[in-house]
Each structure stands twice: as structure tokens, then as C-alpha cells.
Amino acid sequence: MKTVFMFPGQGSQEVGMGQDLANASKDIAAIYSKANDIVGYDLAKICFEGPQEELNKTDKSQPAIFVTTVVCLKAIALGLVGEGLKDVKPDYLAGLSLGEYSALYASGVIDFESALKLVSVRGESMQAAAESRKGTMVSILGIDEAAAWDLANAVLAQNIVEDDGLETILAPVNFNCPGQIVFSGSLNACLKAAEISTEFGASRAIPLAVAGAFHTSMMRDAAQRLQGAIATCKFGAFDMPVVANVDGKVYGSSDEIESKLMDQLVNPVRWQQSMEWLLDASVERFVEIGPKRVLTGLLKKTSRAQKKKVETVTINGLS
């Protein structure tokens, strides 16, 4: 049975994540301890105790989620969780946005310390970009990609004035699954998109509690800072293939890592396309590794649309 390990992105964080695994294993507790030393603050305490407001900050949530996915991988390797998965080498790896860094780590192309430092820079630079200009995101349900672009273009054609007087920005940026597309951009543009979305066939619009307009040009400064950090990294060869967010295709070589991670910050995440690629590659078992079960829910909608049966497993703690 072909298997993919998939890793969640920002938004999956929850207070208490990883704590039961750390309590169960000294090896896992040591991962959190090492992470604390790398980032220079008590990341483990934020994961275990919160408060939620602190954990939700982009500069904290991203390293917290990454480290917890690594911990869950270690728990599988130790046989603590995931019956039958201990000796499984997945055929593919994939991660949603931030989760792609977990996938790259799991592939053996980058070591833990280097990956965590990259994730920390990513989170800090995205937080800074969000603070420099306020933006937001809104989930639009019930429309397809063509309608999503029509909606975005219709909003931009209205010459909306933003409160800060700066450029109006709006784009569909997260193609999560059939019927769920997330828009990102400047505040008034997102509000207008939500307001008129039913005119384009949407069933519902849900504003998201996020720090900024992720995956748009408003993250350009963050991408430039991330590029500097990536340039200091040494990437090895892939032990397992990784499906990239920006195009839903497998990395050809480690030479593509810098450009694809840079593109990911300012361009749409094509998660639905990534899952469709895996389904077409005859993957039958999808193992979600990390807090919550967001990716499993998205996959089920995609697999139903493709009329393909899949087995799903979630690994986020001892239970």
C-alpha cells in the first residue's frame, strides 16, 4: 500500500500539543529541550501550557508546530504511536505551507537544527510583515478556482480605498479542497470579497483570525529575509520524494528548495492539487502527523470528489 506522510500548517496549534509524548519518552523530551536551546526561549512551555494567545502568534506557532511534528515522527519511530507504521518508509511526503518544512526535514534533505532556524526566521519575518501592514484572510466556501479568480478580479475592479491609503491587494491563495478556497489581502478588499461572494456562487464566507495577508505580495519583505536564511543552509539529497505546495509536483532536486520555499510565501498554496497528484499516483494511505486533524478533513473532501477510497491515520499524541 502506497503511503504518504503529511504535515499540517499554521492554524493547527493547540495548547498541550506534544506534552503526553514528551512525558512518555526521554528521547522526545530531549527534542523539545534541544529546540529550546536553538530558538532561545522555552518553546516547550508554550506548546504545553500556552497561553493560547502566545501560541497563536506567528513567530511562536510556526516553530511550535514544526517541533511537534518532529516529535510525532520520533514517536512513530519509537513505536509509541501508529501501530504498523514504525518500519514504514513513506512513498511520499507533503506538508501544507509551514508543513512543507516538516516534510523536507522528514525527507532527510535538511537537519533538525537548520530546519528549525529556518522556520523561526520564517515565522518572525511573517509576523513582522503582518505588523508593518495589516492584512487578513477569508475562507470562501462553495466556489471553484475559476469563480474564485472572477471574484478577486471583480473586487479589484472596484478601486476600493484601503484605510492606510496603500495598494488594494486580493487573491485566492489556499486551494485547500473542492469547495474551500481561502482569499488573502488588504483588509477592505477581503471584506468586500466576503460581502459579494454569494454573487459568484459561494455558500458562505468565514473571516479567519490571522496576523496578516499570507501568501500574497504583502509578504515580499518576509520572503527576502527568508532568502537570506535559506542561503546559509546546506541541503542534502532527498531520501523520500516531497510534493511541493506551489505546483503540486515532486521536487526534482534539492536545487529547487530555495526557489520553491520563496515562491510559497508570496504565491498560492495548491494543497488540493497536491492531494490529487498523490491520489493519481495510487497513494491509498494518508498519515497526518502533527496537531489536530485538519489535513485529514480536507483530504476526505478531495478523495470523495475523485471517487477514490483512502485509508487515513492521524498521529498527534498517545491516544
Side-chain angles (χ1 to χ4, degrees):
M1 178 185 293
K2 283 189 176 181
T3 299
V4 60
F5 283 3
M6 53 186 188
F7 304 90
Q10 189 173 349
S12 292
Q13 67 273 4
E14 57 183 349
V15 173
M17 61 185 188
Q19 186 170 16
D20 59 346
L21 296 174
N23 290 339
S25 166
K26 292 182 179 178
D27 290 337
I28 289 176
I31 295 174
Y32 278 112
S33 178
K34 183 177 180 180
N36 288 350
D37 292 339
I38 293 169
V39 299
Y41 57 87
D42 198 340
L43 181 64
K45 185 176 181 180
I46 295 173
C47 289
F48 301 162
E49 301 176 17
Q52 189 71 52
E53 294 77 14
E54 183 71 11
L55 182 58
N56 285 347
K57 293 178 180 178
T58 300
D59 58 340
K60 299 297 192 300
S61 64
Q62 293 199 16
I65 292 169
F66 169 75
V67 172
T68 301
T69 61
V70 171
V71 159
C72 290
L73 275 172
K74 184 66 173 181
I76 293 172
L78 293 173
L80 294 175
V81 296
E83 185 178 355
L85 291 176
K86 180 179 179 180
D87 298 317
V88 170
K89 181 178 181 179
D91 298 275
Y92 299 101
L93 301 161
L96 176 62
S97 190
L98 163 68
E100 191 164 321
Y101 289 76
S102 301
L104 290 170
Y105 164 76
S107 77
V109 81
I110 185 172
D111 62 67
F112 175 72
E113 181 171 352
S114 298
L116 178 54
K117 286 180 177 179
L118 266 189
V119 167
S120 294
V121 170
R122 185 182 191 266
E124 290 166 4
S125 59
M126 289 173 71
Q127 181 73 32
E131 290 173 356
S132 68
R133 187 186 179 194
K134 290 184 178 180
T136 191
M137 303 175 78
V138 57
S139 181
I140 307 292
L141 306 183
I143 60 175
D144 60 16
E145 181 168 348
W149 287 110
D150 287 344
L151 171 56
N153 290 332
V155 171
L156 294 173
Q158 295 188 24
N159 297 316
I160 293 169
V161 177
E162 295 292 344
D163 295 344
D164 57 13
L166 298 176
E167 177 188 6
T168 298
I169 294 171
L170 181 71
V173 298
N174 284 65
F175 296 93
N176 288 334
C177 65
Q180 186 185 122
I181 297 174
V182 176
F183 285 63
S184 181
S186 46
L187 288 173
N188 290 342
C190 285
L191 289 173
K192 177 59 70 172
E195 179 186 329
I196 68 172
S197 61
T198 55
E199 298 175 20
F200 294 81
S203 59
R204 191 180 177 194
I206 306 172
L208 303 181
V210 294
F214 301 145
H215 303 294
T216 70
S217 58
M218 291 171 70
M219 290 292 115
R220 192 175 290 122
D221 288 347
Q224 291 176 350
R225 184 177 171 192
L226 179 64
Q227 185 177 29
I230 293 174
T232 67
C233 290
K234 293 183 179 180
F235 299 107
F238 284 90
D239 291 336
M240 292 165 277
V242 175
V243 180
N245 281 190
V246 291
D247 54 13
K249 297 179 181 178
V250 169
Y251 277 88
S253 73
S254 57
D255 293 338
E256 297 179 351
I257 292 175
E258 179 176 343
S259 63
K260 288 197 174 186
L261 291 183
M262 291 283 293
D263 286 348
Q264 188 209 71
L265 263 190
V266 294
N267 288 294
V269 168
R270 295 194 167 274
W271 187 251
Q272 178 182 333
Q273 184 178 333
S274 299
M275 294 299 99
E276 289 171 346
W277 189 94
L278 289 164
L279 290 166
D280 288 342
S282 301
V283 173
E284 296 177 288
R285 181 167 55 183
F286 290 73
V287 183
E288 181 173 3
I289 298 172
K292 296 189 177 176
R293 298 167 49 90
V294 173
L295 301 184
T296 300
L298 298 178
L299 167 70
K300 288 180 177 178
K301 293 178 180 178
T302 303
S303 61
R304 280 199 298 267
Q306 295 285 307
K307 298 181 179 179
K308 293 183 179 179
K309 293 182 178 181
V310 296
E311 175 185 323
T312 60
V313 181
T314 56
I315 305 294
N316 52 27
L318 288 177
S319 57

